[in-house]
Amino acid sequence: MPKYYFFYYVQRLWTIGLCTACWLIYYRFKKAYFIRRWQYKCKRFDLLTKLSEGPIAVKILGFGEHTFASTNGISWHSDFFTTTSPPSWAHTFFAAITIPSNKQINILTARQPDIKVPWELSRLHCLHNQSLETALAILSSWMINNPFPYGVNWLNPMEVSIRAINIIAMLKTHTGNPALTPVIIAQISELLRYHAYFIESCWEVSATPNNHYLTDLVGYLHLCCFLNITKYYRKRHQAWQWVQDALKQQLLPDGTCYEGSTAYHSLVTELFDLALACAQEHSLSINQALYITQQKMHEFIIDCTDQTGNLVLIGDNDSGRICPLPSKQKKMALNAPQQKTYPFFGLTIIKNSRCFFTLRHATYSPQQPTGHFHRDELAITLSIDEIPLFIDPGSYLYTAHPQWRNALRAASTHTTVIPEAHKLIPRNLDLFQLPKSASPAALHEIQARHSWEKINITRDCSLSTHELIITDTITSNTKEITTWYWHLGPTIKLHAIDMHTWLLLHEQKPLAQLHGPLPWHVQQSRASTVYGAYESTTILSCSAQTQQGNKMVQQFRTTLMR
């Protein structure tokens, strides 16, 4: 073994600990054994009921509604929003299917087939709000087109878990329906048994487990409680304990998800709710502290939600849900200004009668996974009268378009300030990794700080009902160009007043006036509030050079128009 690899593995072992290393090795050997056992055989499932012949409309979360010619014609293995999908997605052994990375795709090409489309469809959200006959026809179509464990829909244990939860929910909805015969229930139970077998053989474990591993556990808990099989029934207490252990690791002391994303916090909260409801239903032991944690998690969602019921985007957003989305929250009246900081998540939220404002702190611990973080240190968002003015760009696509994946998580598409050398994400960086330096929990509510090598930046914010003042202080030990970016909402238009001042318009009416001490530049970009879709946007930027050993202070004013 070369010295480089020897020292790498020694350092890795020191970082994660011997117990964690042994745990990872055990489950990887277990998965390898499963792959070897099933590589040359498969399990085909019997038809539940006759497939319908007429057209069927299926809603796919994040991608809208799509109509297929018949239940048998549902494209379970393709991204039907593009012209072609890899043939391997349909019939290849799951372990032989690979998700292209940015190293494998020419990032100058257009949108590639997105593996999330067949995954979202195969989560089987479409079983809900259907008659039993239609639900069984859809499930039959899925079963005959997805033998175990072949095809793209057996690739990811998280997707297997979500599908199992939705199948169980459908069965509970139609409990007592005479059309749900013992034979059909036995066939579906066999399908679910293979789901449980796959999950327990292919856990998505890592030294810093994320929402995938938590979803595996919650799905497995539901299966253990539902399946009338002694092996799984006896494991329900152990599965519930595993869920609690994972939550303890993945939740920060302020009740927020440690993945650095408000959308993924919402997903983890849904997983928490589902697991707790399952434990209550099956009389599993529940520590009362879990209810306090659950309350904290929901409070964070409420605090991150504006008066129209929209969740502010911080970090990645793939529009993912375990079960179909509930109805949109009703408009909430705000009687008094509110200000709250989540120091471990790294977010300050300020609300008043006109504004909804967030300030992103650079909080990060090496124990956190970085896959869904953005380079958004010191970034702000601002909505005025429920109109997004300064925004976070969202995600748009993951593996299907690496160019925009990296562009929308870079600092240059956030409303922030950053040294020029750090504004972009390297092209050869893994799509679900983002190098970050450790930074302690936020100490100041309306002040954020961060350091980039020899440059320190402090951002102070002051917000009232008529004005936002941003004051940035830069100290540097070297000559460096620093750039400010202001990412405008998709409905915002620009009108130049002079070289330092812009009038920001919404529907041809003045909304705010932005003034800065430096000349502005205009560039086009895009933002995505829903995964898979985007809107054209505009970014204002300006730059200044710091001198070695000097301090530079720049102040920007956003004046609200009445």
Side-chain angles (χ1 to χ4, degrees):
M1 178 185 295
K3 284 186 177 180
Y4 170 80
Y5 291 106
F6 174 77
F7 287 114
Y8 168 79
Y9 286 116
V10 169
Q11 183 182 19
R12 181 74 172 153
L13 182 62
W14 178 266
T15 302
I16 67 175
L18 182 60
C19 290
T20 302
C22 293
W23 178 69
L24 293 173
I25 291 170
Y26 168 75
Y27 280 110
R28 287 180 183 169
F29 271 112
K30 189 174 182 180
K31 181 177 181 180
Y33 173 76
F34 174 82
I35 290 171
R36 186 174 180 180
R37 182 177 181 182
W38 282 92
Q39 190 167 5
Y40 301 109
K41 62 178 181 178
C42 72
K43 165 64 181 175
R44 297 190 179 276
F45 302 103
D46 297 327
L47 194 66
L48 293 175
T49 184
K50 183 180 178 181
L51 300 180
S52 60
E53 298 297 333
I56 181 168
V58 176
K59 288 185 178 180
I60 310 169
L61 291 184
F63 295 96
E65 188 172 89
H66 194 83
T67 302
F68 297 97
S70 66
T71 349
N72 195 39
I74 297 177
S75 303
W76 294 108
H77 310 105
S78 63
D79 176 359
F80 30 80
F81 297 103
T82 58
T83 54
T84 59
S85 295
S88 63
W89 286 5
H91 305 296
T92 303
F93 182 62
F94 84 98
I97 301 174
T98 58
I99 302 175
S101 68
N102 55 340
K103 296 178 182 179
Q104 298 169 299
I105 299 176
N106 179 358
I107 66 171
L108 297 178
T109 60
R111 182 188 189 277
Q112 303 295 312
D114 191 356
I115 202 169
K116 268 187 62 62
V117 175
W119 278 357
E120 285 288 345
L121 178 60
S122 290
R123 290 180 174 185
L124 298 183
H125 295 133
C126 51
L127 295 180
H128 299 276
N129 300 320
Q130 301 276 13
S131 66
L132 178 59
E133 181 183 5
T134 303
L136 291 178
I138 293 172
L139 185 55
S140 290
S141 174
W142 190 92
M143 291 170 67
I144 63 174
N145 285 284
N146 291 274
F148 177 87
Y150 282 74
V152 71
N153 296 315
W154 289 105
L155 175 60
N156 190 336
M158 177 181 184
E159 305 304 320
V160 175
S161 299
I162 295 175
R163 182 164 58 248
I165 292 172
N166 282 290
I167 293 172
I168 291 171
M170 182 272 292
L171 290 173
K172 289 181 178 179
T173 300
H174 296 286
T175 298
N177 191 320
L180 201 59
T181 64
V183 174
I184 291 178
I185 292 174
Q187 288 177 276
I188 297 176
S189 295
E190 183 186 35
L191 173 67
L192 291 173
R193 179 169 64 84
Y194 277 94
H195 279 63
Y197 175 41
F198 184 87
I199 294 167
E200 67 185 2
S201 301
C202 302
W203 296 110
E204 294 174 273
V205 296
S206 70
T208 53
N210 58 15
N211 64 90
H212 281 241
Y213 179 58
L214 182 59
T215 307
D216 298 349
L217 293 171
V218 174
Y220 192 68
L221 172 65
H222 278 73
L223 287 162
C224 288
C225 291
F226 176 82
L227 289 171
N228 190 21
I229 299 173
T230 303
K231 170 189 172 182
Y232 292 112
Y233 186 75
R234 287 176 177 174
K235 283 189 174 182
R236 69 193 190 283
H237 293 285
Q238 186 181 38
W240 171 230
Q241 186 58 53
W242 288 345
V243 170
Q244 294 177 77
D245 293 342
L247 286 167
K248 190 179 297 184
Q249 181 176 4
Q250 296 189 30
L251 293 178
L252 299 168
D254 52 13
T256 57
C257 171
Y258 80 158
E259 293 193 65
S261 161
T262 51
Y264 279 92
H265 173 89
S266 182
L267 179 67
V268 170
T269 302
E270 185 182 2
L271 287 166
F272 191 111
D273 293 343
L274 286 168
L276 196 57
C278 184
Q280 290 171 333
E281 180 183 353
H282 295 276
S283 303
L284 301 179
S285 176
I286 299 175
N287 189 320
Q288 293 302 306
L290 289 174
Y291 293 108
I292 299 174
T293 301
Q294 185 184 37
Q295 183 179 354
K296 287 183 179 180
M297 296 175 75
H298 281 278
E299 283 179 359
F300 180 68
I301 293 176
I302 293 171
D303 288 336
C304 289
T305 303
D306 64 18
Q307 290 180 297
T308 59
N310 294 311
L311 184 73
V312 64
L313 287 183
I314 304 293
D316 273 348
N317 173 32
D318 73 345
S319 302
R321 290 294 181 270
I322 307 302
C323 294
L325 283 169
S327 58
K328 194 174 183 180
Q329 293 184 12
K330 295 181 179 180
K331 184 173 179 177
M332 298 170 289
L334 186 64
N335 299 320
Q338 298 177 356
Q339 179 173 318
K340 191 169 183 180
T341 294
Y342 287 86
F344 294 93
F345 185 91
L347 190 69
T348 291
I349 303 158
I350 303 176
K351 302 179 184 181
N352 60 36
S353 58
R354 295 197 66 192
C355 301
F356 181 88
F357 171 83
T358 68
L359 170 65
R360 189 75 163 105
H361 301 273
T363 306
Y364 173 72
S365 166
Q367 284 71 45
Q368 296 175 248
T370 61
H372 295 303
F373 273 86
H374 283 188
R375 187 66 60 77
D376 56 2
E377 296 88 353
L378 314 187
I380 66 166
T381 68
L382 175 66
S383 294
I384 300 174
D385 299 330
E386 303 169 6
I387 301 166
L389 184 64
F390 304 133
I391 62 172
D392 181 292
S395 296
Y396 178 37
L397 295 168
Y398 286 161
T399 61
H401 208 314
Q403 180 184 14
W404 280 107
R405 163 63 175 156
N406 282 332
L408 294 189
R409 60 179 180 153
S412 56
T413 51
H414 292 75
T415 304
T416 189
V417 52
I418 194 167
E420 186 73 10
H422 299 272
K423 68 177 184 178
L424 299 177
I425 302 295
R427 288 187 172 187
N428 61 348
L429 187 67
D430 186 278
L431 295 177
F432 295 99
Q433 296 293 330
L434 188 64
K436 293 182 71 68
S437 56
S439 184
L443 300 177
H444 303 279
E445 293 186 343
I446 54 175
Q447 182 186 85
R449 298 177 179 177
H450 193 53
S451 299
W452 290 269
E453 296 175 356
K454 298 181 180 181
I455 299 176
N456 299 312
I457 301 179
T458 301
R459 167 162 282 194
D460 290 281
C461 306
S462 175
L463 177 70
S464 66
T465 55
H466 66 276
E467 189 174 48
L468 168 67
I469 301 175
I470 302 291
T471 305
D472 294 322
T473 304
I474 300 102
T475 56
S476 175
N477 294 327
T478 183
K479 287 186 177 181
E480 181 74 44
I481 295 176
T482 301
T483 304
W484 287 260
Y485 296 95
W486 302 80
H487 198 155
L488 305 179
T491 65
I492 303 300
K493 305 299 179 185
L494 292 170
H495 175 71
I497 296 177
D498 56 45
M499 64 184 300
H500 296 290
T501 309
W502 288 92
L503 189 62
L504 309 181
L505 307 167
H506 171 71
E507 296 180 347
Q508 305 302 318
K509 297 179 181 178
L511 181 65
Q513 181 175 289
L514 176 61
H515 176 83
L518 304 167
W520 297 97
H521 303 280
V522 181
Q523 64 189 73
Q524 298 304 309
S525 185
R526 63 176 60 173
S528 172
T529 55
V530 178
Y531 183 89
Y534 72 88
E535 298 174 277
S536 297
T537 55
T538 304
I539 294 177
L540 289 172
S541 64
C542 54
S543 300
Q545 186 175 50
T546 58
Q547 299 299 320
Q548 185 172 358
N550 289 349
K551 178 186 290 188
M552 178 173 66
V553 179
Q554 303 287 358
Q555 190 173 86
F556 299 84
R557 291 178 178 268
T558 303
T559 304
L560 282 60
M561 312 298 285
R562 291 289 181 181

